[in-house]
Amino acid sequence: MELILEAKGINKVFGTKRNSYTALRDIDLNITKGEFVGVMGPSGAGKSTLLNVLSTIEKPTSGLLQFNGKSLTNMKETELTEFRRDQMGFIFQDYNLLDTLTVEENILLPLTFSKTPQREMKRKVHELARKFGIEENLEKFPYEISGGQQQRTAVCRAIICQPKILFADEPTGALDSKSAYYLLETLSELHKEQAATILMVTHDPYAASFCSRVVFIKDGTLFTEIRKGEQSRKQLFGQILDILSSIGGGQYDAV
């Protein structure tokens, strides 16, 4: 299996020596091509911090981070910005769409710095919009469409440049159950049909049950992990609940 992302001995400390907080402690994590990895844990465990460090949004205090064998640890901020733009895609809980741009313009945004011909850009947008059922909304503005449609727009924007890895931070958090299911099915299809590599932070065991591997974090350290393998999604869901109950994950509804 091709190794996409490799983290070794990652530590992240916020604050000063007298008033510091260790958010991540000695994290070792490998992500291979085509994996759909979920990251779970109690509130404040360090899930979003881990995603931010792995996606180079935040720099680790110490440790090594490699992407396709290339070290990211000592890259300058301008280099990291270009790297994220070219190699990574992002889906956020609050969509992060620009209200002054149409749905089509929001999806096109990552391509504006590329040398892609305008006709090709249009073709890509319409192809993705058709696939995700939002083609009829391309001329509308984000505030004119539903939350589910906004999140599908965000997914289209995230994958239009065909990133090597897709990061999703609580992508279903602001969605109703029907829209959440549609989004999770969409991510699952990308994983299965296009071998997309996805890392998703979630507090929801139902969302995590769509993953091929689930990593659990507690108090800033990796607690354990489970792989779906030949299990059904319902069986994986049960395992997730068992682990969450042991680390203080709370109560959840069944699938």
Side-chain angles (χ1 to χ4, degrees), residues 1 3 29-38 191 208-216 224-233 235-237 239-240 243:
M1 295 291 287
L3 190 59
L29 182 64
N30 292 338
I31 298 173
T32 57
K33 184 176 181 180
E35 274 197 297
F36 187 176
V37 180
H191 166 238
S209 70
F210 283 77
C211 299
S212 58
R213 175 164 61 120
V214 184
V215 174
F216 297 85
T224 190
E225 68 171 54
I226 53 176
R227 295 177 183 269
K228 182 179 181 182
E230 299 301 317
Q231 296 183 92
S232 68
R233 190 164 61 80
Q235 288 172 319
L236 179 62
F237 179 83
Q239 276 194 289
I240 292 169
I243 293 174

Side-chain angles (χ1 to χ4, degrees), residues 2-19:
E2 180 183 345
L3 190 59
I4 293 288
L5 191 62
E6 183 179 13
K8 288 184 177 180
I10 295 294
N11 292 280
K12 180 63 179 178
V13 180
F14 292 101
T16 61
K17 288 183 179 179
R18 290 186 177 181
N19 187 25

Side-chain angles (χ1 to χ4, degrees), residues 187-206:
L187 294 177
S188 185
E189 280 183 28
L190 286 171
H191 166 238
K192 292 174 182 176
E193 296 177 9
Q194 300 182 28
T197 307
I198 305 169
L199 186 140
M200 176 176 70
V201 165
T202 182
H203 69 280
D204 183 1
Y206 177 73

